[in-house]
Amino acid sequence: MAGPEDFENHCWKDIVTPEILTTYEAYVRNTFVGTRPALLAIDLYNLVYKGGANPPHEITPDFPNTCGVYAHEAIEPTRKLFTACRAARIPIFYVTARFSPSRVQSTRRADMPLVEEDFEIHQAFTPQSGDVVFRKERASAFFGTPLVAHLNQRDVNSLIVCGESTSGCVRASVLEAYSYGFHISIVEECVFDRSELSHKVNLFDMHHKYADVMKLDEVCAHLASVTGKATKVA
Amino acid sequence: MAGPEDFENHCWKDIVTPEILTTYEAYVRNTFVGTRPALLAIDLYNLVYKGGANPPHEITPDFPNTCGVYAHEAIEPTRKLFTACRAARIPIFYVTARFSPSRVQSTRRADMPLVEEDFEIHQAFTPQSGDVVFRKERASAFFGTPLVAHLNQRDVNSLIVCGESTSGCVRASVLEAYSYGFHISIVEECVFDRSELSHKVNLFDMHHKYADVMKLDEVCAHLASVTGKATKVA
Amino acid sequence: MAGPEDFENHCWKDIVTPEILTTYEAYVRNTFVGTRPALLAIDLYNLVYKGGANPPHEITPDFPNTCGVYAHEAIEPTRKLFTACRAARIPIFYVTARFSPSRVQSTRRADMPLVEEDFEIHQAFTPQSGDVVFRKERASAFFGTPLVAHLNQRDVNSLIVCGESTSGCVRASVLEAYSYGFHISIVEECVFDRSELSHKVNLFDMHHKYADVMKLDEVCAHLASVTGKATKVA
Amino acid sequence: MAGPEDFENHCWKDIVTPEILTTYEAYVRNTFVGTRPALLAIDLYNLVYKGGANPPHEITPDFPNTCGVYAHEAIEPTRKLFTACRAARIPIFYVTARFSPSRVQSTRRADMPLVEEDFEIHQAFTPQSGDVVFRKERASAFFGTPLVAHLNQRDVNSLIVCGESTSGCVRASVLEAYSYGFHISIVEECVFDRSELSHKVNLFDMHHKYADVMKLDEVCAHLASVTGKATKVA
């Protein structure tokens, strides 16, 4: 949980002007993790780590889908988040892209040759028994998948979100989750993008409109506080 | 239509760095209006014009939902767009917010007292006979409305989008339209936001991922070129 | 609740053969009302009561949307169901048709002249303060309405269903509710149709595939047993 | 195409009474195949052919998902339909069940042990290059799949439907297709169920409310008449 005094204490501080903060004052509130959460891990597939921990613009000609250094910087925080979620025994859902010649495209990016392994989950976050993995063709984790049915059947009422890209599949999934009526907590250190500008502005937008952007430490502390307690999951 | 050389010639030029443009090079393409378009006018309701043509941060305490000067600057371009669409006899769909004590909220903004007239369409764009107006409770024009059924039944395969806010209901609607398989053209001068930063970055995001951001003149010229020709609408 | 021995003890008994029952044996189970239910009252609008308590085929030329005697026979049981649900203070949602010249049609029935009052809720079930009423254009209560968002936001995990027609909007709504992951209880005496054959076979289909068809007395007894207890609704 | 005089000339004739036909008179109309159709083949997987061409109730204890003789009788007509659709070069979409321990269930039937091969398409209808196959967890071909996006992107405005079961996944898919605004033609000889009663009544319901139930010969004749002509698919 974070109080109103920390509501704007996030990565967008250096680009959002005081005038904008004034305009958005009515959105300031407490942030929190929901009571019956699941982890939603978005597009943590091999393709976005390609080319190593380099700035995307330096490697994008060879690795056009990479998030480069931003992807690699998020590995350790995301590991910690997974560990905390597994300890709290909350349901874990992954989405990744469907690899198929017939798939519709999730964005208007020009085509490039891909292989099946590109869309497998990165080995740092390998799904375990009991986790659920969906394949999607569009940006949102909900569009063209039965995610909403699984969430309802497991009595989930809120999501903890990590993955990429902040301005693409994360934003689309958070928007649709909010539309469906779920509370959403986005873990700041565990989402990333190929553009820092889009990353920051999309986090700002989502934080004010649809979700609670929270620090990894806050989320882990909360999960630790409920671990061991009866987390009823129907 | 605009060619690849003009692909980045838009309002975001002053904030997007050369490095970002390099990263997004694979998205560069021609832009165009689809073959069987409809106009989608998003949230052109009275509330966003309140307080006059002033900077939002100066009037937001009194008019918390206003887009102020940005809303007012878009009135004339949007009038022109409506005129061109009516002349071309393409279907026109409006969405506005549902006014109801029981509605779910489209964003996490704190509540404020509203009246029914706040969500009526601004008089500059009053719906005419044959237009369709939907009321929504969420950001996307598709969520909780039968818009997709109407588009399919009228054989629409593409949208021309205007309205507000760029980072809210416009983005949400464009995202879902793209997910459903529609081509989307966003008219740059006819969408607006209460934050210029969010406006520009969201246009940049949508232009690269889901839609063609186009100039009013281009769109009007295209519509004029097809006006009078048989625009078959089943 | 009803045990497996009563699973086929319903109105379809006189038309379902022993061979069919053998084929469907694997579906036999206990039936029950869910833990956090809402009442969903489907299309209880004036139009279906027109022409009085007569057989539909006798009055359909003059009242083409009527369910006649079947509608009227369900009035008293449905009143009792409403009373029990209000006493248990569970959320109550109505859907009715949207009256509009531009609406898409919910079935392929030929057009007929209608007035706004036709789609108002029958006076026996007038919505009260706190109830939510949605207007729809298609058969399902979920399609083109924000019902799923309301259910999730009020922490509802199951539905008690009444209304009409069994083979039309009830079946469509039950199907989509099941797809979304909700448990569904259909109150046998409180759903109706213009054809008894379709009524019985659709109840049979839904009972085996998607929902628990239950007797009014069972549902009321269950609601009475939880009335007064803390029905937590977030 | 079939005229109004043949509107009720279908398999339900022996169980629908004259009174019911009077009640439904307003639905009588011409039936037809849409202008830009795709074939939707629903759940033609191995499981439903298990146990041979026997009455379902005789083999259901050993083969609990079989449609027995009804499945086998539909093989030859369905082959002809596929041949006609391939000759007309219309897009072909299959749906089948997702085989996964974590899947939600498409109906309330009790669990049974299954293997992956159970949900592969029967060899009489093996998908060919260019066909699209979706895996679903719910009854409708649209729920939890990107089917609607594919239909829109390929400029499809209507469906020709075959497969099973009439009262389950066929009905659910037809209902949702109609909600989305597609015209639907169901090929009578090419849909089947484990219960003849449910088969007939569900065809009756769909024919009056959402779709055109048509004879195989009619559909094939229509497809032959357009074969060779430019079937524009964007």
Side-chain angles (χ1 to χ4, degrees), chain D residues 104-215:
Chain D
V104 292
Q105 298 298 304
S106 59
T107 73
R108 305 210 51 180
R109 174 154 211 156
D111 277 354
M112 69 213 79
L114 295 171
V115 297
E116 191 151 7
E117 187 263 352
D118 288 338
F119 292 132
E120 296 303 316
I121 303 296
H122 187 276
Q123 62 176 11
F125 320 110
T126 304
Q128 301 186 7
S129 171
D131 297 345
V132 181
V133 182
F134 294 115
R135 301 270 173 170
K136 66 187 175 61
E137 301 190 12
R138 293 304 202 182
S140 167
F142 291 88
F143 194 93
T145 78
L147 175 57
V148 66
H150 284 247
L151 295 179
N152 283 340
Q153 285 209 334
R154 297 183 69 173
D155 209 20
V156 169
N157 71 350
S158 48
L159 295 174
I160 298 169
V161 170
C162 67
E164 61 85 28
S165 69
T166 316
S167 69
C169 298
V170 170
R171 174 135 183 188
S173 303
V174 163
L175 173 73
E176 198 161 353
Y178 180 75
S179 291
Y180 274 127
F182 297 97
H183 178 86
I184 305 126
S185 304
I186 302 170
V187 188
E188 185 169 348
E189 297 92 334
C190 303
V191 292
F192 53 97
D193 203 294
R194 52 187 61 78
S195 155
E196 274 294 84
L197 178 62
S198 285
H199 174 72
K200 290 176 179 177
V201 173
N202 277 276
L203 279 184
F204 175 87
D205 288 344
M206 288 189 282
H207 188 58
H208 290 80
K209 294 174 194 289
Y210 315 119
D212 291 355
V213 175
M214 298 179 73
K215 303 286 186 188

Side-chain angles (χ1 to χ4, degrees), chain B residues 97-212:
Chain B
R98 189 154 90 105
F99 177 74
S100 161
S102 67
R103 68 185 289 250
V104 293
Q105 298 298 304
S106 59
T107 73
R108 305 208 53 180
R109 176 154 211 155
D111 277 354
M112 71 213 77
L114 295 170
V115 296
E116 191 152 7
E117 187 264 352
D118 288 337
F119 292 131
E120 296 304 315
I121 303 296
H122 187 276
Q123 63 176 12
F125 320 110
T126 304
Q128 302 186 6
S129 171
D131 298 345
V132 181
V133 182
F134 294 116
R135 300 271 172 170
K136 66 185 176 63
E137 300 190 12
R138 294 305 203 180
S140 167
F142 292 88
F143 194 93
T145 78
L147 175 58
V148 66
H150 284 248
L151 295 179
N152 284 339
Q153 286 209 335
R154 296 183 70 172
D155 210 21
V156 169
N157 71 352
S158 48
L159 295 174
I160 298 168
V161 170
C162 66
E164 63 84 28
S165 70
T166 316
S167 69
C169 298
V170 170
R171 174 135 184 187
S173 302
V174 164
L175 172 74
E176 199 161 354
Y178 181 75
S179 291
Y180 273 127
F182 297 96
H183 179 87
I184 306 126
S185 304
I186 302 169
V187 188
E188 186 168 348
E189 297 91 332
C190 303
V191 291
F192 53 98
D193 204 294
R194 51 188 60 78
S195 153
E196 273 293 84
L197 178 63
S198 285
H199 174 72
K200 290 176 178 178
V201 172
N202 278 275
L203 278 185
F204 174 86
D205 288 344
M206 289 190 279
H207 188 58
H208 289 79
K209 295 172 194 291
Y210 315 119
D212 292 356

Side-chain angles (χ1 to χ4, degrees), chain C residues 2-234:
Chain C
E5 69 284 0
D6 284 323
F7 191 72
E8 302 290 355
N9 190 18
H10 291 284
C11 62
W12 54 77
K13 276 190 299 185
D14 59 343
I15 58 165
V16 172
T17 64
E19 288 76 17
I20 293 174
L21 292 183
T22 300
T23 301
Y24 280 85
E25 238 162 35
Y27 292 88
V28 175
R29 61 187 190 277
N30 290 314
T31 58
F32 60 94
V33 175
T35 50
R36 303 191 305 269
L39 176 64
L40 179 61
I42 299 172
D43 288 1
L44 294 173
Y45 47 66
N46 292 316
L47 203 57
V48 296
Y49 300 91
K50 289 275 175 78
N54 293 298
H57 70 273
E58 291 180 6
I59 54 178
T60 206
D62 293 324
F63 307 99
N65 256 330
T66 191
C67 290
V69 62
Y70 306 120
H72 285 267
E73 284 177 355
I75 289 178
E76 272 316 299
T78 305
R79 262 194 225 272
K80 284 181 190 153
L81 179 63
F82 267 87
T83 301
C85 289
R86 293 197 186 284
R89 303 178 66 170
I90 69 173
I92 296 182
F93 296 91
Y94 295 78
V95 285
T96 183
R98 190 153 90 105
F99 177 74
S100 160
S102 68
R103 67 184 290 248
V104 293
Q105 298 299 305
S106 60
T107 75
R108 305 209 51 180
R109 176 153 211 156
D111 277 354
M112 71 213 77
L114 294 172
V115 297
E116 191 151 9
E117 187 264 352
D118 289 337
F119 292 132
E120 296 303 316
I121 303 295
H122 187 276
Q123 62 176 13
F125 319 110
T126 303
Q128 301 186 6
S129 171
D131 298 345
V132 181
V133 183
F134 295 116
R135 300 273 172 168
K136 66 188 175 62
E137 301 190 11
R138 293 304 204 181
S140 167
F142 291 88
F143 194 93
T145 78
L147 175 57
V148 66
H150 284 248
L151 295 179
N152 284 339
Q153 286 209 335
R154 295 183 71 172
D155 209 21
V156 169
N157 70 352
S158 47
L159 296 174
I160 298 169
V161 170
C162 67
E164 62 84 28
S165 71
T166 316
S167 69
C169 298
V170 170
R171 173 137 184 186
S173 302
V174 164
L175 173 74
E176 198 160 355
Y178 181 75
S179 290
Y180 274 127
F182 297 97
H183 179 87
I184 306 125
S185 304
I186 301 169
V187 188
E188 186 169 348
E189 297 91 332
C190 303
V191 291
F192 53 98
D193 203 293
R194 50 187 62 77
S195 154
E196 273 294 83
L197 178 62
S198 285
H199 175 71
K200 290 176 179 178
V201 172
N202 277 277
L203 279 184
F204 174 86
D205 289 343
M206 289 189 280
H207 188 58
H208 289 79
K209 295 172 195 287
Y210 315 118
D212 292 355
V213 175
M214 298 180 72
K215 303 284 186 191
L216 175 62
D217 284 351
E218 285 178 276
V219 173
C220 288
H222 170 78
L223 289 171
S225 77
V226 298
T227 297
K229 298 181 189 174
T231 306
K232 189 192 152 285
V233 170

Side-chain angles (χ1 to χ4, degrees), chain D residues 27-87:
Chain D
Y27 291 88
V28 175
R29 62 188 190 276
N30 291 313
T31 60
F32 60 93
V33 175
T35 50
R36 302 190 308 267
L39 176 64
L40 179 61
I42 299 172
D43 290 1
L44 294 174
Y45 49 65
N46 292 315
L47 204 58
V48 296
Y49 300 91
K50 289 274 174 80
N54 294 297
H57 70 273
E58 292 180 7
I59 53 177
T60 206
D62 294 323
F63 307 101
N65 254 330
T66 191
C67 290
V69 61
Y70 305 120
H72 286 267
E73 284 177 356
I75 289 178
E76 273 316 301
T78 306
R79 260 194 226 274
K80 283 182 190 153
L81 179 63
F82 267 87
T83 300
C85 288
R86 293 197 186 284

